[in-house]
């Protein structure tokens, strides 16, 4: 894959402690990939390696076909990882102008466009030490975008951001991916935000990628139904015998029917003498999928 970021067989250890194990993933320009996991899963470490901030690891990372170890600079990668590295006694504007020295020429027009897009006007001339966490986060994103990088890596970008600003920031990031062809990776604990803006989601647990979810997939490809019956055990046994994916949800059955229409499932059960008291289409949200993936990994 030439046009994109590709990670192959990535391992990272600190002494005997393995924090990332056999990570394989891709990020294509123009898409937003969510990275979710419990605390300590390795999200920040993974983002730091992708940004070129950590050098010692096994495996390879290619950026548009070039191994990042052989790249002299990482000017096509912008990142905000953990906390923004800002100078507290400088104003927001002074911080921006300082960091322009590390990028290719950045015009005043480009800086003003970032300030407007991220709604920084009200505090851009205030010293950073007097700014809230949310203000610092938005300023950090602006600095990460200096020089128009092809890839943007954001670790908890919504942390501390005022609720009324979050929708505007979300729309901006979506626009950046779609209109500027930027590949974006976002790590967050806010699953609703991830679900609302990402094309794909990777679930990281204990240093391993345990699930990959295509949020733009065919709506029928994973069709499921919630089935209720007065003889739930018989229905469950029958469907398992027919090789349907079945699991209990309280007093109902969640049946993975693939592309089978609900009426076909009803006909199958009724024609075999099984009673139904209800059937309804069901689609797991990201939170449910996340919890299931984590539980399965713990059991493993």
């Amino acid at each position: 894959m030439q046009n994109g970021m590709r990670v192959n067989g990535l391992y990272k250890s600190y002494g005997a402690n393995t924090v990332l194990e056999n990570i394989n993933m891709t990020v294509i320009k123009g898409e937003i990939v969510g990275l979710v996991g419990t605390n300590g899963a390795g999200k920040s470490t993974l983002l730091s390696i992708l940004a070129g901030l950590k050098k010692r690891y096994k495996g390879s990372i290619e950026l548009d076909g070039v191994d990042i170890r052989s790249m002299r600079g990482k000017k096509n990668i912008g990142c905000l990882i953990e906390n923004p590295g800002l100078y507290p006694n400088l104003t927001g504007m002074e911080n921006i102008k300082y960091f322009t020295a590390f990028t290719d020429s950045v015009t005043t027009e480009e800086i003003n466009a970032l300030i407007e897009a991220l709604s920084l006007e009200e505090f851009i001339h205030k010293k950073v030490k007097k700014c809230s966490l949310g203000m610092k986060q938005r300023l950090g994103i602006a600095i990460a975008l200096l020089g128009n990088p092809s890839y943007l890596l954001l670790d908890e970008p919504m942390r501390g951001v005022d609720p009324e600003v979050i929708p505007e920031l979300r729309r901006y990031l979506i626009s950046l991916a779609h209109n500027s062809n930027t590949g974006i990776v976002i790590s967050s604990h806010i699953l609703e935000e991830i679900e609302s803006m990402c094309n794909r989601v990777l679930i990281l647990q204990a240093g391993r990628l345990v699930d990959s979810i295509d949020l733009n997939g065919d709506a029928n490809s994973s069709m499921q139904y919630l089935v209720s019956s007065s003889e739930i055990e018989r229905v469950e046994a029958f469907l398992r015998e027919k090789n349907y994916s079945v699991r209990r949800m309280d007093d109902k059955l969640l049946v993975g029917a693939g592309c089978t229409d609900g009426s076909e499932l009803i006909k199958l059960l009724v024609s075999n003498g099984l009673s139904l008291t209800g059937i309804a289409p069901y689609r797991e949200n990201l939170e449910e999928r996340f919890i299931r993936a984590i539980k399965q990994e713990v059991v493993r």
Side-chain angles (χ1 to χ4, degrees), residues 13-274:
S13 299
Y14 294 106
N17 181 30
T18 299
V19 293
L20 293 173
E21 179 183 352
N22 196 28
I23 302 296
N24 297 283
M25 59 179 283
T26 59
V27 180
I28 300 170
K29 289 179 181 177
E31 72 170 345
I32 303 179
V33 177
L35 182 63
V36 299
T38 56
N39 289 330
K43 302 186 297 297
S44 296
T45 299
L46 176 56
L47 290 178
S48 295
I49 292 174
L50 297 182
L53 301 177
K54 293 183 184 295
K55 308 291 186 181
R56 296 183 178 180
Y57 57 85
K58 294 180 180 179
S60 66
I61 302 169
E62 292 183 355
L63 213 61
D64 299 333
V66 180
D67 193 299
I68 65 169
R69 285 190 174 104
S70 66
M71 297 170 62
R72 303 188 75 182
K74 308 297 186 297
K75 294 180 180 180
N76 48 357
I77 303 176
C79 65
L80 173 62
I81 298 175
E82 295 182 344
N83 298 309
L86 304 171
Y87 291 90
N89 288 315
L90 299 181
T91 67
M93 181 63 83
E94 288 169 339
N95 269 276
I96 287 177
K97 289 183 175 179
Y98 172 80
F99 283 102
T100 58
F102 300 95
T103 65
D104 292 330
S105 58
V106 178
T107 66
T108 300
E109 290 74 19
E110 289 171 335
I111 292 173
N112 290 337
L114 281 173
I115 291 171
E116 181 180 356
L118 292 164
S119 302
L120 306 179
E121 298 94 337
E122 63 179 279
F123 62 87
I124 194 64
H125 297 294
K126 181 187 294 187
K127 285 190 175 182
V128 166
K129 65 183 179 182
K130 296 183 179 179
C131 294
S132 68
L133 174 59
M135 293 174 181
K136 293 174 185 176
Q137 289 290 101
R138 286 148 61 195
L139 181 59
I141 294 172
I143 291 171
L145 286 168
L146 291 172
N148 300 309
S150 300
Y151 301 92
L152 182 64
L153 310 175
L154 301 175
D155 189 10
E156 300 286 353
M158 306 299 182
R159 180 173 49 196
V161 177
D162 292 336
E164 66 270 18
V165 178
I166 288 177
E168 182 181 349
L169 181 54
R170 180 173 63 239
R171 286 191 294 269
Y172 174 70
L173 292 174
I174 293 172
S175 173
L176 184 68
H178 295 173
N179 299 332
S180 299
N181 203 33
T182 305
I184 303 176
V185 181
I186 297 179
S187 165
S188 178
H189 284 92
I190 308 174
L191 297 181
E192 295 87 352
E193 284 299 329
I194 290 290
E195 193 165 21
S196 69
M197 64 194 301
C198 293
N199 305 102
R200 292 188 293 121
V201 179
L202 304 176
I203 299 178
L204 189 67
Q205 174 65 7
R208 298 176 64 253
L209 285 177
V210 297
D211 204 353
S212 176
I213 306 167
D214 181 1
L215 296 179
N216 296 334
D218 182 354
N220 292 321
S221 62
S222 58
M223 181 58 69
Q224 297 175 299
Y225 293 91
L226 268 182
V227 173
S228 54
S229 170
S230 58
E231 45 183 0
I232 202 73
E233 289 81 7
R234 284 190 63 209
V235 172
E236 180 177 6
F238 173 80
L239 290 174
R240 290 189 185 281
E241 185 180 322
K242 295 295 182 180
N243 295 318
Y244 280 87
S245 169
V246 182
R247 65 185 175 93
R248 287 290 186 102
M249 287 189 67
D250 299 323
D251 59 344
K252 298 180 177 61
L253 297 177
L254 182 61
V255 181
C259 294
T260 301
D261 184 80
S263 60
E264 294 179 20
L265 187 57
I266 293 171
K267 185 186 298 184
L268 174 67
L269 293 171
V270 172
S271 64
N272 283 275
L274 296 165

